[in-house]
Amino acid sequence: HNPAYEILIRQRLASVMADSEEPIHKLINKSTVAELLREKSDYGKPWFGQLMAGPQLMAYLLQINYWLKKYDISIEL
């Protein structure tokens, strides 16, 4: 793992969470993501084969948000 990568991912996800216009807000539990951002990294238990469970989950959330924006996906609730 690279600590700088984790810092960058945390900062970017925190930025997305601070902007209520980001499309991923309609798909996630905001308090759960906020808790994820507060947690210390867990490198002890792999998540879907990834050794960086927390940072990798944060990266996946950012990728989903990017995809929703890039392809202008609307989510009706």
Side-chain angles (χ1 to χ4, degrees):
H1 79 281
N2 184 331
Y5 170 78
E6 180 179 355
I7 290 167
L8 178 64
I9 292 298
R10 278 184 188 277
Q11 289 172 341
R12 288 191 181 173
L13 185 56
S15 177
V16 165
M17 295 306 298
D19 183 351
S20 62
E21 295 299 313
E22 293 288 353
I24 198 163
H25 283 267
K26 292 183 179 179
L27 296 176
I28 60 171
N29 180 311
K30 295 173 196 144
S31 63
T32 300
V33 175
E35 183 179 326
L36 174 67
L37 287 168
R38 285 191 302 270
E39 285 181 355
K40 184 177 184 269
S41 293
D42 183 2
Y43 297 107
K45 59 180 178 185
W47 182 72
F48 291 105
Q50 302 295 324
L51 294 178
M52 296 174 26
Q56 197 60 42
L57 176 56
M58 289 183 236
Y60 289 148
L61 292 172
L62 288 170
Q63 290 168 10
I64 291 167
N65 191 66
Y66 173 80
W67 181 81
L68 290 167
K69 286 171 64 171
K70 179 172 176 74
Y71 295 102
D72 197 25
I73 305 296
S74 313
I75 300 170
E76 300 297 326
L77 297 178

